Amino acid sequence: MSDTIEVQGKREKIEKYLKKGYSVKEERNGYWVLVKKAKVWVTLTNSFCSKTFSMKSDILDYYGKQKISANLVEKFQKDINDGKISFSMDKDGTSYKMK
């Protein structure tokens, strides 16, 4: 899920977080709020290959939501396990469809 860090100090103090993928959400007089966006990676396998895809936006679209949450990811996993959601992937593993 997404991650938020609050840091007090000069910009040099946040450089290590910026290198780890965080971005500045807010800055006031040496008070920094840094965020790292959530990612949802799903690995699909067919008889030819296995590929990992970023599915955050597809999950949000499927459920009609604006933000990803742990509960939404759990619901997604449950719906897959219950057979409500299935996937097909092309032979080359370059694209997939979520049904």
Side-chain angles (χ1 to χ4, degrees), residues 14-90:
I14 67 164
E15 289 296 326
K16 66 181 177 183
Y17 298 107
L18 297 176
K19 290 177 183 174
K20 292 180 180 178
Y22 286 84
S23 59
V24 177
K25 179 179 180 183
E26 183 180 337
E27 186 272 321
R28 287 177 285 149
N29 300 321
Y31 168 77
W32 305 83
V33 178
L34 308 172
V35 293
K36 190 174 192 180
K37 302 263 182 189
K39 296 179 183 175
V40 181
W41 297 98
V42 177
T43 301
L44 302 177
T45 302
N46 62 21
S47 56
F48 302 99
C49 62
S50 289
K51 294 289 180 167
T52 302
F53 297 93
S54 173
M55 290 194 184
K56 178 182 169 184
S57 62
D58 291 324
I59 295 168
L60 293 173
D61 290 344
Y62 183 83
Y63 292 106
K65 301 289 185 179
Q66 297 293 316
K67 293 184 179 182
I68 200 79
S69 67
N71 288 340
L72 188 60
V73 172
E74 287 174 20
K75 179 172 177 47
F76 178 67
Q77 289 172 324
K78 183 177 183 328
D79 287 348
I80 291 169
N81 292 338
D82 293 345
K84 294 178 183 176
I85 298 174
S86 63
F87 299 94
S88 63
M89 181 173 60
D90 67 345

